[in-house]
Amino acid sequence: MNFFTNQKSKRRKPLNISQFISLVFLGIIILGTFLLLLPFSSRNGESCGLRIAIFTATSATCVTGLSLVDTWTQWSGFGQAVLLGLIEIGGLGFMSAASLVIFSLKRKVNINQRMVMAQSFGSDNLFSATRIQKSIIKYCLSVEGIGALLLAIRFFPEYGLKKSVVLGIFHSISAFCNAGFDIFGFEVPGRSLIKFGSDPAVCLILSFLIIIGGLGFLVWDEIGSNHSPKKWSVYTKLVILTTAALLFIGTVLFCITEWNNPLTIGKMSVPGKIIAGFFQSATTRTAGFAGINQGAMTEGGKAITIFLMFIGGSSGSTAGGLKTVTFIVLFLFLYSRIRGNKSVNIFNRTIPNKSILDAVTVSMIMVILSFFGSTVISFRSGIGFTEGLYESVSALATVGLSTGITSSLSLPAQLLMIIYMYFGRVGILTVSIGFLKNDSSKANHKFAETNLLIG
């Protein structure tokens, strides 16, 4: 089967990879919307309406976590199963599911299918795509299974066997896929995981699921193949070091800014504050679980959260955002320019100028969209700029954290958040795919250079 050609009309131009990915994600969202619109998807037996259905389906497929309604209160068991399916497909990539079918049927994988697989987890190596994809499926299911088991054990004393198993499975998948949806609304609707904000078992299990899911498929494969860090590629080393640094710095800064805030971690014990700070640092990296009241944080805490949400996880992972290596490339570039160096070097290697320009391009796109979204939210919904920026970055970086304003946004602002969630998951990916492609046309002429005053 050829994914990219229309058999009915060979005159039509074949879909490129970016268009194919965009259309498949859109199709999944439409299917999810239809399923969530069904009366038996809602707990009260009545259809939720198009606005809630399309917003939720987009949020789940794009593994964001923003929601207009409480997941447990609104959705029945069937509706929650639909959400879980959308999260799994959106988090692991639709190509993982397609590959599972291909492998089970023992079909031969053609070159176009290899291209989609490779781009879905951030690689341009077509020959290893099939092997990596098989490893991804086995690895993801194994990690989610272990996470579900550990969470179920933790929840069992309080909720019993049946409910603890359901809670374990749902939150393990949601955490690993960096989705941030929770079903603890039967405790207090809309409170997310605040009840477990300083619980060591819940916070650490979910944090490690979030971190592992956010490292990226290629990093998993390389670490599994080469146990010695000395043999890791520069990319893998940068991902590991940047992730560790952001987790540590985020934990320290959250503890500093929120230490005496009675509305967040101020009333917790010292170990509880550290655990809550670590969980907040981990979940802001596009997971979206709220261990503390996001709206009650200090302005400093909100600023740190926005910054970490903006960076996000790593390329080819379940996470969104600018991506860790993109951020560190920008940081190294600025550091080198400040020191007067013309090249950017790391681990005895030079980062190509093309990679630096790609990082600058993606960063500028996200900065412009973030501030535009905040302006629209503030103008149309009468909400402060900080809260608007928080919501805008959360949607664009597919995080899902909110200060509690999502349901009160105006219709135009909610539509913009739907677009941002879709672009954050699909748009950034297709832009990155464009970077991986070789330029098909090269300029056959060059204009004379001109000097400009900068700074």
Side-chain angles (χ1 to χ4, degrees):
M1 179 181 178
N2 191 328
F3 281 160
F4 304 106
T5 57
N6 189 323
Q7 300 298 327
K8 294 182 179 180
S9 178
K10 295 185 178 181
R11 294 182 179 180
R12 294 183 181 180
K13 185 178 179 180
L15 293 175
N16 60 39
I17 299 173
S18 301
Q19 292 170 332
F20 178 73
I21 291 175
S22 301
L23 289 176
V24 170
F25 262 87
L26 183 61
I28 294 170
I29 291 172
I30 292 172
L31 175 61
T33 301
F34 170 76
L35 292 175
L36 291 178
L37 276 171
L38 298 175
F40 49 82
S41 290
S42 296
R43 190 170 293 278
N44 61 7
E46 299 178 2
S47 178
C48 63
L50 182 60
R51 179 173 61 92
I52 292 176
I54 192 171
F55 192 100
T56 307
T58 303
S59 183
T61 305
C62 299
V63 289
T64 305
L66 288 176
S67 183
L68 302 178
V69 293
D70 178 73
T71 303
W72 173 269
T73 306
Q74 175 63 45
W75 307 112
S76 63
F78 175 80
Q80 292 172 25
V82 170
L83 286 181
L84 209 57
L86 295 176
I87 290 169
E88 190 78 282
I89 294 173
L92 304 185
F94 65 89
M95 206 51 213
S96 295
S99 300
L100 185 60
V101 176
I102 294 170
F103 298 147
S104 65
L105 296 176
K106 298 183 179 180
R107 297 285 182 86
K108 184 178 180 180
V109 183
N110 63 36
I111 188 66
N112 285 329
Q113 293 166 337
R114 288 177 183 271
M115 290 176 68
V116 176
M117 285 184 206
Q119 302 301 347
S120 70
F121 46 75
S123 172
D124 56 357
N125 189 336
L126 304 184
F127 299 101
S128 64
T130 303
R131 177 186 62 79
I132 295 176
Q133 191 68 66
K134 288 180 179 179
S135 299
I136 288 171
I137 294 172
K138 293 178 182 178
Y139 184 80
C140 292
L141 295 178
S142 299
V143 172
E144 289 176 344
I146 294 172
L149 177 62
L150 293 176
L151 288 172
I153 293 173
R154 163 60 186 86
F155 294 139
F156 174 73
E158 190 170 352
Y159 300 111
L161 179 60
K162 183 179 179 180
K163 182 171 282 190
S164 64
V165 169
V166 173
L167 291 173
I169 293 173
F170 190 97
H171 293 95
S172 178
I173 294 175
S174 186
F176 182 77
C177 292
N178 279 227
F181 280 91
D182 73 274
I183 52 173
F184 278 104
F186 60 86
E187 294 277 3
V188 180
R191 294 278 291 175
S192 190
L193 299 180
I194 291 178
K195 176 181 177 179
F196 304 99
S198 60
D199 186 297
V202 174
C203 287
L204 292 179
I205 293 171
L206 291 178
S207 293
F208 284 115
L209 286 169
I210 292 165
I211 293 166
I212 293 171
L215 287 178
F217 303 138
L218 292 180
V219 174
W220 304 342
D221 183 69
E222 187 166 352
I223 293 175
S225 303
N226 301 311
H227 299 293
S228 174
K230 293 181 180 180
K231 297 181 180 180
W232 293 347
S233 66
V234 172
Y235 174 78
T236 296
K237 290 178 182 178
L238 285 176
V239 167
I240 297 298
L241 290 176
T242 305
T243 300
L246 289 174
L247 284 169
F248 176 75
I249 294 171
T251 301
V252 172
L253 292 178
F254 278 124
C255 286
I256 291 174
T257 56
E258 301 297 324
W259 193 267
N260 295 317
N261 185 353
L263 300 178
T264 54
I265 68 174
K267 296 181 180 180
M268 298 179 183
S269 64
V270 172
K273 291 179 180 181
I274 296 173
I275 291 170
F278 176 76
F279 185 69
Q280 178 72 7
S281 180
T283 194
T284 52
R285 305 280 308 294
T286 86
F289 291 114
I292 58 175
N293 186 342
Q294 304 297 300
M297 286 194 299
T298 62
E299 290 299 303
K302 291 177 183 177
I304 296 165
T305 301
I306 292 172
F307 177 70
L308 292 177
M309 287 195 299
F310 188 85
I311 296 174
S314 300
S315 300
S317 73
T318 60
L322 179 66
K323 304 298 188 297
T324 52
V325 171
T326 306
F327 166 74
I328 201 63
V329 166
L330 284 175
F331 177 83
L332 292 172
F333 171 66
L334 291 174
Y335 179 73
S336 297
R337 293 301 296 167
I338 290 172
R339 296 187 64 187
N341 297 331
K342 293 184 178 180
S343 61
V344 180
N345 305 312
I346 186 71
F347 297 123
N348 297 319
R349 295 291 187 274
T350 298
I351 299 176
N353 288 332
K354 181 181 181 301
S355 296
I356 296 172
L357 290 175
D358 293 346
V360 171
T361 301
V362 175
S363 302
M364 288 304 300
I365 290 173
M366 288 198 63
V367 167
I368 292 171
L369 290 177
S370 296
F371 278 88
F372 175 77
S374 177
T375 302
V376 171
I377 291 174
S378 299
F379 175 72
R380 297 293 304 185
S381 303
I383 292 169
F385 185 81
T386 301
E387 282 70 24
L389 184 61
Y390 197 104
E391 197 84 3
S392 178
V393 173
S394 181
L396 189 60
T398 68
V399 180
L401 288 174
S402 174
T403 56
I405 66 172
T406 308
S407 60
S408 62
L409 295 178
S410 64
L411 181 59
Q414 290 180 1
L415 291 175
L416 182 63
M417 292 302 96
I418 291 174
I419 295 172
Y420 271 22
M421 289 187 289
Y422 181 77
F423 180 82
R425 189 61 179 164
V426 180
I428 296 297
L429 175 62
T430 55
V431 169
S432 300
I433 288 173
F435 293 155
L436 286 173
K437 293 178 181 178
N438 293 324
D439 294 333
S440 58
S441 61
K442 299 201 179 215
N444 54 13
H445 63 275
K446 183 179 179 181
F447 293 107
E449 294 182 353
T450 183
N451 293 322
L452 298 173
L453 294 176
I454 303 295

XYZ file of all heavy atoms in Angstrom, residues 106-169:
502
model
N 3.135 -9.003 9.054
C 4.388 -9.388 8.392
C 4.470 -8.836 6.976
O 4.941 -9.501 6.048
C 4.538 -10.910 8.393
C 4.621 -11.504 9.798
C 4.838 -13.000 9.758
C 4.931 -13.563 11.184
N 5.148 -15.024 11.193
N 3.982 -7.609 6.808
C 4.075 -6.963 5.510
C 5.455 -6.337 5.329
O 6.092 -5.920 6.284
C 3.009 -5.871 5.385
C 1.578 -6.387 5.447
C 1.197 -7.077 4.151
N -0.183 -7.524 4.192
C -1.235 -6.757 3.868
N -1.047 -5.490 3.553
N -2.458 -7.253 3.903
N 5.894 -6.219 4.102
C 7.156 -5.560 3.807
C 6.972 -4.055 3.924
O 5.998 -3.497 3.422
C 7.622 -5.919 2.394
C 8.990 -5.351 2.053
C 9.430 -5.787 0.663
C 10.806 -5.202 0.332
N 11.266 -5.624 -1.022
N 7.903 -3.388 4.593
C 7.815 -1.947 4.807
C 8.503 -1.235 3.653
O 9.703 -1.427 3.419
C 8.482 -1.544 6.141
C 8.323 -0.056 6.375
C 7.877 -2.338 7.278
N 7.738 -0.422 2.888
C 8.335 0.250 1.742
C 9.051 1.534 2.157
O 9.010 1.943 3.320
C 7.274 0.533 0.667
C 6.189 1.490 1.154
O 6.468 2.415 1.906
N 4.952 1.255 0.736
N 9.693 2.186 1.207
C 10.542 3.342 1.495
C 9.739 4.509 2.057
O 10.196 5.229 2.957
C 11.315 3.784 0.226
C 12.346 4.860 0.572
C 10.356 4.254 -0.858
C 13.450 4.385 1.463
N 8.511 4.719 1.541
C 7.697 5.830 2.041
C 7.280 5.598 3.491
O 7.253 6.527 4.308
C 6.445 6.006 1.169
C 6.767 6.638 -0.164
O 7.704 7.445 -0.258
N 6.025 6.283 -1.196
N 6.943 4.357 3.816
C 6.579 4.038 5.191
C 7.777 4.204 6.118
O 7.645 4.658 7.249
C 6.030 2.607 5.262
C 4.695 2.444 4.545
C 4.324 0.997 4.329
O 5.189 0.124 4.303
N 3.045 0.725 4.157
N 8.965 3.823 5.633
C 10.175 4.019 6.421
C 10.419 5.502 6.691
O 10.850 5.883 7.782
C 11.390 3.433 5.682
C 11.433 1.916 5.662
C 12.625 1.437 4.848
N 12.647 -0.003 4.743
C 13.248 -0.808 5.611
N 13.875 -0.293 6.644
N 13.229 -2.112 5.440
N 10.147 6.351 5.696
C 10.343 7.792 5.861
C 9.436 8.344 6.947
O 9.852 9.131 7.800
C 10.100 8.518 4.528
C 11.161 8.266 3.470
S 10.780 9.056 1.897
C 10.952 10.781 2.359
N 8.167 7.920 6.933
C 7.229 8.402 7.950
C 7.638 7.921 9.333
O 7.609 8.660 10.311
C 5.789 7.951 7.622
C 4.835 8.380 8.723
C 5.347 8.543 6.298
N 8.041 6.648 9.435
C 8.496 6.118 10.717
C 9.674 6.916 11.251
O 9.705 7.323 12.416
C 8.928 4.652 10.556
C 7.812 3.663 10.430
S 8.515 2.000 10.375
C 7.234 1.143 9.475
N 10.659 7.129 10.379
C 11.872 7.826 10.798
C 11.548 9.232 11.278
O 12.023 9.674 12.332
C 12.877 7.876 9.657
N 10.723 9.958 10.522
C 10.412 11.333 10.893
C 9.549 11.388 12.144
O 9.619 12.355 12.913
C 9.680 12.055 9.740
C 10.447 12.084 8.421
C 11.778 12.764 8.530
O 12.046 13.433 9.517
N 12.637 12.586 7.547
N 8.751 10.342 12.406
C 7.874 10.357 13.573
C 8.654 10.305 14.872
O 8.172 10.744 15.908
C 6.885 9.184 13.505
O 7.557 7.966 13.695
N 9.882 9.751 14.859
C 10.682 9.774 16.082
C 11.980 10.534 15.914
O 12.929 10.370 16.667
C 10.952 8.359 16.623
C 11.397 7.358 15.599
C 12.673 7.363 15.092
C 10.515 6.381 15.167
C 13.075 6.424 14.160
C 10.914 5.438 14.238
C 12.192 5.454 13.732
N 12.040 11.422 14.895
C 13.113 12.398 14.799
C 14.400 11.901 14.192
O 15.474 12.391 14.537
N 14.330 10.943 13.250
C 15.544 10.425 12.628
C 15.475 10.602 11.123
O 14.390 10.624 10.536
C 15.715 8.936 12.958
O 16.779 8.378 12.216
N 16.639 10.698 10.480
C 16.685 10.718 9.028
C 17.349 9.452 8.498
O 17.719 9.369 7.336
C 17.412 11.970 8.516
C 18.816 12.083 9.102
O 19.181 11.235 9.936
O 19.526 13.034 8.730
N 17.512 8.454 9.359
C 18.113 7.180 8.977
C 16.998 6.206 8.617
O 16.325 5.649 9.484
C 18.952 6.615 10.118
C 19.761 5.408 9.689
O 19.415 4.711 8.740
N 20.854 5.164 10.403
N 16.798 5.981 7.312
C 15.701 5.150 6.862
C 15.951 3.662 7.122
O 15.021 2.893 7.324
C 15.444 5.370 5.364
C 15.179 6.809 4.924
C 14.850 6.833 3.448
C 14.053 7.425 5.723
N 17.213 3.253 7.114
C 17.528 1.839 7.205
C 17.287 1.275 8.607
O 17.003 0.088 8.754
C 18.981 1.605 6.778
C 19.243 2.012 5.357
C 19.858 3.217 5.078
C 18.828 1.212 4.305
C 20.085 3.608 3.767
C 19.048 1.595 2.989
C 19.678 2.798 2.713
N 17.419 2.131 9.634
C 17.202 1.653 10.998
C 15.795 1.944 11.501
O 15.472 1.647 12.643
C 18.223 2.309 11.945
O 18.024 3.710 11.990
N 14.953 2.532 10.646
C 13.623 2.962 11.080
C 12.776 1.807 11.577
O 12.133 1.889 12.628
C 12.904 3.679 9.929
N 12.764 0.692 10.820
C 11.939 -0.443 11.207
C 12.395 -1.044 12.535
O 11.586 -1.330 13.415
C 11.976 -1.527 10.112
O 11.553 -0.952 8.873
C 11.055 -2.682 10.475
N 13.701 -1.230 12.678
C 14.245 -1.800 13.921
C 13.916 -0.922 15.112
O 13.481 -1.403 16.167
C 15.758 -1.964 13.793
C 16.412 -2.494 15.074
C 17.920 -2.492 14.953
N 18.456 -1.160 14.767
C 18.633 -0.275 15.756
N 18.276 -0.580 16.991
N 19.136 0.917 15.503
N 14.126 0.410 14.962
C 13.868 1.334 16.059
C 12.382 1.344 16.411
O 12.001 1.368 17.579
C 14.351 2.746 15.714
C 15.878 2.755 15.554
C 13.930 3.747 16.780
C 16.438 4.100 15.120
N 11.532 1.289 15.362
C 10.098 1.333 15.616
C 9.631 0.125 16.413
O 8.812 0.238 17.328
C 9.333 1.409 14.297
C 7.850 1.718 14.451
C 7.618 3.115 14.950
O 7.901 4.095 14.280
N 7.104 3.225 16.157
N 10.173 -1.054 16.083
C 9.827 -2.256 16.847
C 10.270 -2.120 18.293
O 9.539 -2.482 19.222
C 10.485 -3.480 16.212
C 9.880 -3.910 14.887
C 10.600 -5.131 14.341
C 9.979 -5.589 13.018
N 10.688 -6.765 12.454
N 11.470 -1.585 18.487
C 11.987 -1.389 19.848
C 11.134 -0.403 20.615
O 10.884 -0.566 21.814
C 13.434 -0.888 19.793
O 14.272 -1.817 19.140
N 10.671 0.656 19.932
C 9.842 1.683 20.564
C 8.557 1.069 21.113
O 8.165 1.308 22.264
C 9.500 2.804 19.561
C 10.735 3.659 19.281
C 8.363 3.681 20.088
C 10.535 4.646 18.153
N 7.895 0.266 20.293
C 6.624 -0.321 20.703
C 6.812 -1.210 21.926
O 6.065 -1.116 22.911
C 6.001 -1.114 19.538
C 5.610 -0.161 18.401
C 4.782 -1.908 20.008
C 5.160 -0.858 17.137
N 7.826 -2.083 21.895
C 8.089 -2.973 23.029
C 8.456 -2.176 24.275
O 7.973 -2.448 25.373
C 9.217 -3.942 22.666
C 8.862 -4.930 21.575
C 10.054 -5.817 21.245
C 9.728 -6.788 20.114
N 10.903 -7.619 19.751
N 9.329 -1.183 24.089
C 9.815 -0.399 25.223
C 8.691 0.402 25.864
O 8.558 0.427 27.093
C 10.929 0.533 24.744
C 11.580 1.326 25.840
C 12.552 0.757 26.662
C 11.233 2.653 26.067
C 13.156 1.476 27.672
C 11.830 3.388 27.075
C 12.781 2.794 27.870
O 13.372 3.519 28.875
N 7.891 1.065 25.042
C 6.816 1.909 25.566
C 5.804 1.094 26.356
O 5.406 1.477 27.462
C 6.110 2.641 24.425
S 7.121 3.876 23.594
N 5.382 -0.018 25.785
C 4.400 -0.850 26.477
C 4.965 -1.402 27.781
O 4.253 -1.523 28.779
C 3.950 -1.992 25.557
C 3.176 -1.578 24.296
C 2.821 -2.804 23.452
C 1.913 -0.809 24.655
N 6.255 -1.737 27.784
C 6.889 -2.262 28.997
C 6.939 -1.210 30.093
O 6.587 -1.473 31.251
C 8.302 -2.758 28.682
O 8.281 -3.807 27.741
N 7.373 0.008 29.731
C 7.474 1.090 30.712
C 6.107 1.465 31.253
O 5.924 1.637 32.470
C 8.167 2.325 30.096
C 8.108 3.510 31.048
C 9.611 2.002 29.742
N 5.120 1.582 30.352
C 3.761 1.912 30.801
C 3.198 0.816 31.702
O 2.507 1.109 32.688
C 2.849 2.120 29.589
C 3.148 3.395 28.815
C 2.299 3.535 27.566
O 1.706 2.522 27.131
O 2.226 4.648 27.027
N 3.503 -0.443 31.375
C 3.027 -1.549 32.202
C 3.630 -1.529 33.595
O 2.922 -1.727 34.592
N 4.938 -1.274 33.672
C 5.602 -1.196 34.984
C 5.057 -0.019 35.780
O 4.787 -0.134 36.983
C 7.127 -1.066 34.794
C 7.692 -2.347 34.176
C 7.810 -0.767 36.134
C 9.144 -2.246 33.770
N 4.882 1.126 35.110
C 4.335 2.303 35.787
C 2.929 2.056 36.307
O 2.596 2.443 37.436
N 2.105 1.396 35.498
C 0.733 1.086 35.910
C 0.717 0.166 37.123
O -0.084 0.345 38.046
C -0.032 0.451 34.745
N 1.602 -0.820 37.125
C 1.675 -1.759 38.242
C 2.080 -1.054 39.536
O 1.457 -1.251 40.587
C 2.670 -2.874 37.918
C 2.920 -3.911 39.020
C 1.627 -4.656 39.356
C 4.019 -4.892 38.603
N 3.119 -0.230 39.463
C 3.593 0.481 40.656
C 2.534 1.441 41.196
O 2.321 1.527 42.417
C 4.873 1.243 40.324
C 6.103 0.388 39.995
C 7.275 1.278 39.585
C 6.491 -0.487 41.179
N 1.850 2.148 40.297
C 0.800 3.071 40.732
C -0.381 2.313 41.328
O -0.963 2.739 42.334
C 0.328 3.929 39.552
C 1.297 5.009 39.065
C 0.787 5.646 37.785
C 1.500 6.083 40.142
N -0.730 1.182 40.733
C -1.840 0.386 41.251
C -1.535 -0.122 42.658
O -2.416 -0.136 43.536
C -2.130 -0.783 40.310
N -0.278 -0.529 42.886
C 0.131 -0.970 44.224
C -0.012 0.157 45.240
O -0.467 -0.038 46.371
C 1.581 -1.505 44.187
C 1.647 -2.792 43.365
C 2.110 -1.732 45.600
C 3.053 -3.293 43.127
N 0.383 1.361 44.814
C 0.280 2.527 45.704
C -1.183 2.871 45.998
O -1.534 3.220 47.139
C 0.996 3.728 45.066
C 0.643 5.093 45.645
C 0.958 5.201 47.130
N 0.487 6.449 47.691
C -0.729 6.654 48.158
N -1.635 5.659 48.130
N -1.060 7.825 48.670
N -2.054 2.783 45.003
C -3.450 3.192 45.182
C -4.307 2.109 45.830
O -5.402 2.400 46.329
C -4.063 3.564 43.823
C -3.460 4.777 43.186
C -3.213 4.810 41.809
C -3.135 5.895 43.940
C -2.671 5.938 41.220
C -2.586 7.023 43.352
C -2.339 7.043 41.980
N -3.843 0.869 45.827
C -4.663 -0.256 46.292
C -5.193 -0.102 47.725
O -6.386 -0.325 47.970
C -3.879 -1.569 46.172
C -4.588 -2.751 46.746
C -5.683 -3.304 46.100
C -4.169 -3.314 47.953
C -6.350 -4.397 46.644
C -4.830 -4.404 48.503
C -5.915 -4.946 47.842
N -4.358 0.283 48.694
C -4.877 0.381 50.067
C -6.016 1.382 50.209
O -6.886 1.221 51.075
C -3.648 0.831 50.871
C -2.479 0.403 50.056
C -2.912 0.579 48.643
N -6.020 2.395 49.381
C -7.004 3.463 49.517
C -8.235 3.256 48.648
O -9.350 3.632 49.030
C -6.344 4.800 49.164
C -7.173 6.027 49.493
C -6.379 7.316 49.352
O -5.147 7.230 49.147
O -6.978 8.400 49.473
N -8.058 2.660 47.468
C -9.162 2.591 46.507
C -9.601 1.180 46.142
O -10.560 1.014 45.386
C -8.774 3.336 45.226
C -8.455 4.791 45.447
C -7.146 5.266 45.309
C -9.455 5.693 45.799
C -6.846 6.601 45.512
C -9.162 7.031 46.011
C -7.858 7.478 45.856
O -7.562 8.805 46.078
N -8.942 0.144 46.630
C -9.324 -1.214 46.284
C -8.748 -1.652 44.952
O -8.180 -0.862 44.198
N -8.915 -2.940 44.637
C -8.251 -3.544 43.477
C -8.725 -2.958 42.146
O -7.908 -2.494 41.343
C -8.478 -5.059 43.485
C -7.852 -5.831 42.320
C -6.346 -5.640 42.311
C -8.222 -7.300 42.380
N -10.028 -2.971 41.891
C -10.538 -2.563 40.584
C -10.199 -1.115 40.262
O -9.649 -0.820 39.195
C -12.060 -2.762 40.533
C -12.661 -2.419 39.180
C -14.164 -2.667 39.185
C -14.774 -2.294 37.829
N -16.248 -2.521 37.815
N -10.501 -0.227 41.182
C -10.254 1.191 40.918
C -8.762 1.494 40.852
O -8.326 2.327 40.050
C -10.934 2.057 41.983
C -10.767 3.562 41.738
C -11.632 4.395 42.672
C -13.071 4.414 42.224
N -13.869 5.418 42.981
N -7.966 0.832 41.678
C -6.524 1.097 41.675
C -5.896 0.669 40.353
O -4.966 1.318 39.855
C -5.847 0.386 42.838
O -5.947 -1.016 42.711
N -6.392 -0.429 39.768
C -5.880 -0.884 38.466
C -6.222 0.137 37.383
O -5.375 0.490 36.554
C -6.453 -2.277 38.108
C -6.130 -2.622 36.648
C -5.900 -3.332 39.034
N -7.474 0.613 37.393
C -7.891 1.624 36.414
C -7.077 2.909 36.567
O -6.583 3.477 35.584
C -9.396 1.926 36.563
C -9.797 3.106 35.663
C -10.227 0.701 36.213
N -6.918 3.359 37.807
C -6.132 4.573 38.067
C -4.679 4.387 37.644
O -4.065 5.296 37.075
C -6.203 4.921 39.551
C -7.554 5.400 40.090
C -7.492 5.538 41.614
C -7.954 6.730 39.464
N -4.131 3.209 37.919
C -2.744 2.946 37.554
C -2.527 2.978 36.058
O -1.588 3.624 35.563
N -3.395 2.296 35.309
C -3.258 2.243 33.848
C -3.440 3.627 33.234
O -2.619 4.062 32.412
C -4.279 1.260 33.249
C -3.952 -0.177 33.675
C -4.314 1.365 31.728
C -4.989 -1.200 33.266
